[in-house]
Every structure is written in C-alpha cells, then in structure tokens.
Amino acid sequence: MGSTKDPVHPVPGLLQIWGVFGVAAVLGNGLRRVLPIALEPLRADSEELPQAFWVSYAGFSAFMAYAEGYWGFHKKFSPNVVRRSLTLHTDQAGTLGRVLAPMYCMELFRAGPGRARASWSFVSAITLVVALVKRLPPRPRAVVDAGVCTGLSFGIASLLLHYLNYVTLGIEPPEPPESESEGMRLSLCPVTTVTSVVGKVLGLTLGVEVAGSPGMLRCPLSGKEATSADACPASKFAMEGRAESASTTSPD
C-alpha cells in the first residue's frame, strides 16, 4: 500500500507566483519612480545642504521604515497578499481573480466590504500623496521621497520574505485581523493619515459598508440596502469572496 503522507507544504503554482510577484512588481514600479528624486541630495555637494536637512532626511526615512515598512507592510499588507494568493485556485477567486491575481491578492475585489474599502483607500492614498509631493519644493520633496523609498523597499522585502517562508519552510503568514477599525487614524505618516481620511470618505459617500443585518450590504450604485446579493450587482461582486470565507470558517 502506497504512502499517502502529504508534503509539509504544497509546491507553489504559477497562479501564486503571478499574484505575489505581480504585487511586488507594482511596488517596485512605485519605487523606481521616486528613487531618483530621493537620491538627488546624495549626488549633490554635501556642503550645500544644512545639517537640519540631513537630520530630517535620515529621521523621516527611519520613521517610514518602522511605521510603513514594519507596521504597514510586514505586519499587515504582505501577510494578507500571500494568504490571498493561496486561494487563487479556489472558487473564491474565480476566473477574474486568477486573471487579475495581483489586484485580487491586494484585496481590491472579491473581499469583504471592509477589507476592500481599506485596500482601495490605501491605493488611493498613495496616489494622492504622490501627486501632492510632486508640488513640494525640491528639498522637502527629497525628504518625503526618501521615506517613501524606504517604506516601499521594506514592503518588497517583507512580501518576498513571507512568500519564501511559505514555499521553503511551510510557514503560513499570520492571520489578518478580523475587523478593521472604523475610527480615524491620525499619524505622522502621511500615507496612514490619508488612507484613514479616504476610507472614511468612501464609506460616507459610496456607502460600501455592512448594513445592520450581516446579510445586507448597501449598494454603492443605487444606495439601497439589498437583502441578498442577487438584488444588487455591486453587492454580489463585493460579497462573493466574503461569503466564501464565511462558509470555510463556519463551525460544523
């Protein structure tokens, strides 16, 4: 009788590689865009820049390494991406999720309404911060871009670390938090603060939030509260992943 012992961890499939490395490529593209500005002070004559500039340059980079690199990416974003990539072969992802695996892994769709809103808020916040930073004077912009580069570098490294830990050692990333905080998060980190503001605006204007009953979701198109996913296409799209997750975690 042949052995039926399962391996310690499954061999990573092409779908998982597409999802994880697609997200890494998105982060890498952002890093490529801001890196030249962040490195400009290092190419200039150091005597032309005051000591206060270098203190701000190094201090903000260190802060972003901790606030965004460690807490934002390593503790939250990167584990979520790798865990979502493990579901790409399931019905939860579907054909669209497999084709758009990087977006699916970032929880931009086929996720619970709270998670999807948080992800869209994060992406929108980064876009808004980049647009605002471009209007800053050269020196402040170099300081902010240096911090962004540090955060993105930590993010890419963290994502690859969680992925390699899974495929080589079988260590799954930690579980994401059950619920996102609905309060405003004010922080010295611009991305964190803008993400909180954008998330609150999306919740108020689009109404993409869970209604009073667990089975209800307010439609962002009509504003009506649907008692079933079939009553609202937007609700159906947003709740497909949520329903699948609930069915897999419900007790027997």
Side-chain angles (χ1 to χ4, degrees), residues 9 17 20 53-54 59 80 84 108 120 131-132 140 171 174 186 232 236 240:
H9 56 276
I17 295 174
V20 173
F53 170 82
W54 292 112
N80 287 348
R84 288 275 286 182
L108 295 177
W120 278 107
L132 293 176
I171 302 175
L186 299 180
C232 174
K236 181 178 181 181
E240 281 182 355

Side-chain angles (χ1 to χ4, degrees), residues 145-224:
D145 281 351
V148 172
C149 285
T150 305
L152 288 175
S153 299
F154 270 76
I156 295 172
S158 170
L159 181 61
L160 297 180
L161 176 63
H162 283 293
Y163 172 75
L164 292 176
N165 277 344
Y166 175 75
V167 300
T168 61
L169 303 176
I171 302 175
E172 292 190 4
E175 291 280 354
E178 290 296 328
S179 60
E180 294 289 333
S181 174
E182 295 296 332
M184 296 282 287
R185 292 182 60 201
L186 299 180
S187 170
L188 293 177
C189 174
V191 176
T192 301
T193 299
V194 176
T195 297
S196 178
V197 173
V198 172
K200 211 63 177 174
V201 171
L202 286 176
L204 293 174
T205 59
L206 299 180
V208 186
E209 57 187 8
V210 180
S213 171
M216 300 173 68
L217 186 75
R218 186 174 304 159
C219 178
L221 302 179
S222 65
K224 297 180 179 179

Side-chain angles (χ1 to χ4, degrees), residues 46-68:
S46 59
E47 296 181 356
E48 298 178 358
L49 299 172
Q51 184 177 4
F53 170 82
W54 292 112
V55 172
S56 301
Y57 188 90
F60 190 67
S61 296
F63 171 76
M64 289 292 284
Y66 178 77
E68 284 303 304

Side-chain angles (χ1 to χ4, degrees), residues 2-252:
S3 174
T4 58
K5 183 179 180 180
D6 295 330
V8 175
H9 56 276
V11 178
L14 292 178
L15 286 174
Q16 186 183 356
I17 295 174
W18 162 226
V20 173
F21 283 86
V23 174
V26 171
L27 298 178
N29 183 60
L31 177 62
R32 176 187 64 83
R33 288 174 172 270
V34 298
L35 186 60
I37 303 298
L39 295 179
E40 279 186 0
L42 302 178
R43 303 191 187 102
D45 187 355
S46 59
E47 296 181 356
E48 298 178 358
L49 299 172
Q51 184 177 4
F53 170 82
W54 292 112
V55 172
S56 301
Y57 188 90
F60 190 67
S61 296
F63 171 76
M64 289 292 284
Y66 178 77
E68 284 303 304
Y70 178 71
W71 281 109
F73 280 104
H74 186 69
K75 301 290 286 186
K76 298 178 183 178
F77 181 83
S78 297
N80 287 348
V81 168
V82 176
R83 290 193 66 85
R84 288 275 286 182
S85 73
L86 303 180
T87 65
L88 281 169
H89 65 283
T90 66
D91 293 337
Q92 176 182 344
T95 302
L96 183 62
R98 298 183 187 99
V99 174
L100 304 178
M103 294 182 65
Y104 171 84
C105 290
M106 289 191 289
E107 297 184 305
L108 295 177
F109 65 97
R110 298 273 172 98
R115 300 293 307 172
R117 184 176 67 183
S119 298
W120 278 107
S121 300
F122 180 71
V123 172
S124 301
I126 291 179
T127 304
L128 183 59
V129 168
V130 169
L132 293 176
V133 168
K134 287 182 178 180
R135 291 168 170 76
L136 291 176
R139 289 184 182 179
R141 180 180 177 183
V143 171
V144 175
D145 281 351
V148 172
C149 285
T150 305
L152 288 175
S153 299
F154 270 76
I156 295 172
S158 170
L159 181 61
L160 297 180
L161 176 63
H162 283 293
Y163 172 75
L164 292 176
N165 277 344
Y166 175 75
V167 300
T168 61
L169 303 176
I171 302 175
E172 292 190 4
E175 291 280 354
E178 290 296 328
S179 60
E180 294 289 333
S181 174
E182 295 296 332
M184 296 282 287
R185 292 182 60 201
L186 299 180
S187 170
L188 293 177
C189 174
V191 176
T192 301
T193 299
V194 176
T195 297
S196 178
V197 173
V198 172
K200 211 63 177 174
V201 171
L202 286 176
L204 293 174
T205 59
L206 299 180
V208 186
E209 57 187 8
V210 180
S213 171
M216 300 173 68
L217 186 75
R218 186 174 304 159
C219 178
L221 302 179
S222 65
K224 297 180 179 179
E225 293 180 345
T227 56
S228 66
D230 294 335
C232 174
S235 298
K236 181 178 181 181
F237 181 78
M239 293 182 69
E240 281 182 355
R242 183 178 173 222
E244 179 72 16
S245 299
S247 65
T248 58
T249 59
S250 60
D252 292 336

